[in-house]
Amino acid sequence: MTSKNQPLRPFHLAFPVHDLDAARTFYGGLLGCEEGRSDTHWIDFSLYGHQIVTHLDSGKRTKNMINPVDGENVPVPHFGVVLTMDEWAKLAEKLETQNMQFVIKPTIRFKGETGEQATMFFQDPSGNALEFKAFGDDSQLFAKD
């Protein structure tokens, strides 16, 4: 929907979590997301300039399905941000030093192929799956074979 000449606008995503304190620790503490507005049932965070909103559903435990992608079982649904390679490497190192339980450890997917990318998957305390990825060449983001 956007023109190649238009700057990208911030994305908004709202999703359920079972515990707002755990969400605050994970998104604000571990991932370093700046906290915005909040209430007793939701918290806004800035995820690399994108607005994500955790909404309290105390009975919520996300059950993801998986899809095979390049020999890995990718959790669906998932969300995240396409970072620069330097940002991706710094985040991967930070999460590894914090003993993150990865669903898919930091790796290079589609090595030597169109769309080659660095990727990692992990879950928040409510089971929401996140993927952070990076491309050596951002033109590969939507590249076709």
Side-chain angles (χ1 to χ4, degrees):
M1 289 296 249
T2 62
S3 159
K4 289 183 180 184
N5 298 329
Q6 271 185 308
L8 286 176
R9 302 288 303 146
F11 191 80
H12 167 80
L13 175 69
F15 55 95
V17 296
H18 79 286
D19 181 320
L20 288 178
D21 288 334
R24 183 173 274 124
T25 298
F26 181 83
Y27 290 99
L30 179 63
L31 294 184
C33 297
E34 183 178 338
E35 186 173 326
R37 295 173 298 135
S38 65
D39 198 342
T40 57
H41 287 87
W42 55 269
I43 306 170
D44 279 349
F45 292 100
S46 173
L47 180 67
Y48 293 91
H50 300 281
Q51 184 189 40
I52 61 171
V53 186
T54 57
H55 285 272
L56 181 62
D57 178 354
S58 57
K60 178 68 175 167
R61 292 290 184 181
T62 301
K63 182 178 185 299
N64 294 319
M65 60 174 264
I66 57 169
N67 260 338
V69 177
D70 196 36
E72 298 281 359
N73 290 325
V74 170
V76 178
H78 64 263
F79 67 93
V81 177
V82 178
L83 304 173
T84 66
M85 276 294 189
D86 286 343
E87 291 171 322
W88 183 88
K90 286 176 187 171
L91 179 60
E93 182 178 345
K94 177 181 181 179
L95 296 176
E96 287 173 330
T97 62
Q98 294 293 315
N99 298 315
M100 172 59 69
Q101 298 284 321
F102 289 98
V103 175
I104 299 175
K105 292 180 181 183
T107 189
I108 303 297
R109 176 183 296 153
F110 306 123
K111 201 169 216 156
E113 299 176 33
T114 301
E116 180 176 303
Q117 60 194 261
T119 186
M120 62 182 137
F121 287 82
F122 50 92
Q123 294 177 322
D124 74 7
S126 294
N128 295 299
L130 291 88
E131 176 188 19
F132 286 83
K133 62 170 67 179
F135 294 83
D137 175 0
D138 281 346
S139 72
Q140 293 291 296
L141 181 62
F142 297 108
K144 298 178 181 179
D145 291 333

